[in-house]
Amino acid sequence: MAEMKTVLSGIQPTGQLHLGNYFGAIQNWVKLQEQYRCYYSVVDYHAMTMPYDVKKLRTNTWDMIFSLVATGVKTENLFIQSLVPEHTELNWIFNCFCSYGQLTRMTQFKDKSGQVKDGGKDEFISVGLLDYPVLQTADILIYRADYVPVGKDQEQHLELARDIALRFNTQVGKEYFVLPEPLYTDTPKIRSTADPSRKMSKSAGEKHYINLYADEATIRRQIKSAVTDSGDTPDGKMADGVQNLFEIIKACGWDKEYRQLTEDYYSGHLKYVDLKQVTADALVSLTSQFIARRQEINADKKAIKDQIKQSSSDIRTVAQKTLREVKELVGLLNV
Ligand code: AMP
Ligand code: TRP
């Protein structure tokens, strides 16, 4: 049998998961566990790159762990980045295999440093924010990951990881690192239901995202008020807001309903109230399982915390092995 391929992905511990995170990334994380050796990380070092509240980071990290476990991410595949400090040591080594100019050209750096300026937060742009994609490269390469499931917005960071891997391999004269490939889901972009011209996102404000753990009434209310057809869509093209609801129904696995509603749409019989009703039903039936599981976890948080500390320590041994080999290859000493 061919050797099992490796998958790595990460998510920042910034509060709660929304439907965009789930359908764009996490749903795929759960599926991939059946087929690959998976490493999934809550990247708390990355969460320090923007101005943040030191009192909240640790709680947010655990909350993200609990949310992920409740959706079906296995604890043995899940770890906390700062419990594997080798990532940051490899980060330093990679800093020396990455050009400053390339980092200043990253779209995310430009966007986020722009946000800091616009927010008037004394214009503090950390070196960490510039270096963010190099730490991300270390996250990926330290497990020699073949595939990285992420949303489309991470494409440029994946290219950088490949560049760094290639430069490293060339300089040390050995094909040591695998060049990682991104894996996209069938739902790479969920739109805001309040404004379907933009993606669902927390940073845009409360009405622009639906919390995966929202209660039933809230989900129904948010879907009921979803913008469907604003009337300016060219004939024959489905409006973004309508398509978004279809995408959600499909992503929930409600194929029969999806097919029926699509037929109704093309025969001109679709009523948007019905489309919304089915969307809300599909979501509630999916998320109610997560909420139930989350309540079980809340009743015994310590059990999950212990498992994650253990898995982080197990996963760390893989990272340590890579780092030792890398230090050997670049001419550093090992203790
Ligand atoms: P973020 O919350 O932006 O750090 O994203 C975490 C993960 O969710 C990344 O893999 C993103 O690409 C993905 N993601 C975030 N928002 C959306 C969205 N609206 N649609 C699809 N995927 C998303
Ligand atoms: N930058 C990613 C995001 O914003 C999070 C991340 C950090 C990541 N390290 C990673 C994703 C490694 C994939 C692999 O979503």
Side-chain angles (χ1 to χ4, degrees):
M1 201 180 93
E3 213 177 303
M4 203 186 241
K5 298 268 190 191
T6 301
V7 161
L8 176 128
S9 198
I11 187 159
Q12 291 199 52
T14 40
Q16 292 288 341
L17 288 173
H18 58 67
L19 297 184
N21 301 137
Y22 180 71
F23 291 122
I26 309 305
Q27 192 179 41
N28 216 15
W29 288 19
V30 175
K31 269 197 224 132
L32 293 165
Q33 296 179 124
E34 293 160 21
Q35 222 182 325
Y36 300 105
R37 173 70 186 99
C38 295
Y39 299 97
Y40 297 130
S41 181
V42 174
V43 292
D44 50 353
Y45 285 133
H46 277 108
M48 299 169 68
T49 57
M50 289 288 271
Y52 76 103
D53 184 345
V54 293
K55 291 195 211 76
K56 289 198 183 136
L57 180 56
R58 201 170 297 129
T59 325
N60 285 346
T61 298
W62 284 120
D63 277 346
M64 183 55 83
I65 291 277
F66 302 145
S67 297
L68 291 170
V69 173
T71 64
V73 177
K74 295 182 185 160
T75 50
E76 64 264 34
N77 296 338
L78 193 56
F79 69 102
I80 295 173
Q81 189 189 32
S82 63
L83 290 178
V84 187
E86 284 72 18
H87 289 222
T88 56
E89 193 172 343
L90 187 59
N91 179 188
W92 175 260
I93 296 173
F94 284 163
N95 279 339
C96 307
F97 287 81
C98 178
S99 85
Y100 166 77
Q102 197 170 10
L103 292 184
T104 57
R105 287 192 296 276
M106 291 280 134
T107 316
Q108 182 183 287
F109 175 68
K110 287 195 250 177
D111 286 354
K112 289 200 176 174
S113 52
Q115 271 174 35
V116 175
K117 281 189 199 141
D118 297 344
K121 289 176 189 144
D122 60 22
E123 299 205 2
F124 180 79
I125 298 163
S126 72
V127 174
L129 187 63
L130 180 68
D131 206 26
Y132 180 114
V134 185
L135 177 58
Q136 181 166 350
T137 300
D139 296 340
I140 299 168
L141 299 190
I142 207 161
Y143 303 102
R144 326 273 283 272
D146 301 282
Y147 302 118
V148 185
V150 276
K152 264 273 183 199
D153 54 340
Q154 294 298 312
E155 197 169 18
Q156 205 184 22
H157 288 168
L158 260 291
E159 268 166 37
L160 180 83
R162 296 164 63 85
D163 281 355
I164 292 180
L166 198 59
R167 193 169 300 113
F168 182 96
N169 290 350
T170 309
Q171 196 154 328
V172 305
K174 186 173 176 184
E175 298 238 332
Y176 181 73
F177 283 118
V178 182
L179 305 194
E181 306 269 359
L183 273 189
Y184 301 121
T185 59
D186 298 335
T187 330
K189 182 170 170 184
I190 295 288
R191 298 171 181 278
S192 154
T193 51
D195 176 3
S197 69
R198 61 202 301 171
K199 74 168 194 171
M200 182 173 286
S201 144
K202 272 193 81 168
S203 50
E206 250 183 43
K207 44 178 199 164
H208 294 290
Y209 69 94
I210 301 180
N211 187 333
L212 190 62
Y213 291 93
D215 58 39
E216 176 168 349
T218 307
I219 291 187
R220 291 196 184 278
R221 183 171 40 76
Q222 280 187 281
I223 295 297
K224 204 167 175 185
S225 65
V227 173
T228 44
D229 203 337
S230 46
D232 53 4
T233 311
D235 279 352
K237 191 182 173 296
M238 197 183 270
D240 287 343
V242 176
Q243 197 185 358
N244 199 36
L245 300 180
F246 272 104
E247 292 277 345
I248 293 175
I249 295 172
K250 191 161 85 178
C252 288
W254 283 35
D255 297 342
K256 193 162 63 69
E257 291 78 0
Y258 175 81
R259 276 198 302 274
Q260 182 59 53
L261 291 164
T262 308
E263 255 175 50
D264 295 348
Y265 175 85
Y266 286 108
S267 64
H269 294 110
L270 178 69
K271 292 203 202 74
Y272 290 143
V273 277
D274 296 336
L275 177 67
K276 288 181 175 182
Q277 178 71 39
V278 175
T279 311
D281 289 347
L283 279 174
V284 167
S285 115
L286 177 80
T287 60
S288 58
Q289 311 158 41
F290 302 157
I291 293 173
R293 180 86 182 93
R294 181 69 210 250
Q295 276 161 357
E296 281 168 34
I297 292 171
N298 283 350
D300 190 3
K301 289 183 174 168
K302 184 170 179 307
I304 300 284
K305 285 188 175 182
D306 288 346
Q307 287 171 41
I308 295 299
K309 285 179 191 160
Q310 185 57 49
S311 61
S312 300
S313 149
D314 295 342
I315 288 171
R316 188 175 179 194
T317 60
V318 180
Q320 281 169 326
K321 179 169 182 286
T322 306
L323 188 64
R324 283 194 144 265
E325 292 170 359
V326 166
K327 288 176 83 170
E328 203 62 47
L329 285 167
V330 299
L332 292 166
L333 300 173
N334 272 304
V335 283

